[in-house]
Amino acid sequence: MHELMPDQKKFVQIIELRNDGFVEFNFAVGEAVMNVELLLPYKAFIEFCQNNRVSFFTKEQEDEILIDDKNWKYGLN
């Protein structure tokens, strides 16, 4: 498997480790607020993280995402 965008910083945030063996997570490139929600089997998630040299979201990035989500939900700026 190849690394996605090797010159960009990549981040993950685990949403849920599911009982069916899947990992639900957010994945971001560059900016945490520009993320997608993904679902992979646990082993594939580990490989994905290793191949892409991801970091976990910082507390500040998590807070930024919560604010952005509320802005989208309620139409705020």
Side-chain angles (χ1 to χ4, degrees):
M1 189 180 288
H2 300 298
E3 180 180 359
L4 303 169
M5 296 173 255
D7 49 339
Q8 296 288 321
K9 186 76 173 163
K10 292 165 287 285
F11 305 94
V12 295
Q13 175 190 40
I14 295 174
I15 298 169
E16 181 181 5
L17 298 172
R18 297 173 21 159
N19 290 334
D20 60 3
F22 283 84
V23 179
E24 185 178 353
F25 65 102
N26 288 325
F27 173 67
V29 177
E31 296 181 42
V33 294
M34 298 297 292
N35 63 73
V36 294
E37 188 174 318
L38 300 173
L39 183 69
L40 288 173
Y42 181 78
K43 184 178 177 186
F45 170 74
I46 297 299
E47 291 174 6
F48 178 86
C49 291
Q50 290 172 341
N51 288 338
N52 289 290
R53 298 180 293 136
V54 301
S55 299
F56 283 91
F57 286 3
T58 64
K59 176 66 173 141
E60 291 79 19
Q61 288 170 315
E62 289 179 356
D63 292 344
E64 188 178 343
I65 290 169
L66 288 174
I67 291 167
D68 190 63
D69 287 349
K70 286 181 183 178
N71 289 343
W72 275 99
K73 184 175 182 178
Y74 300 111
L76 305 174
N77 294 338

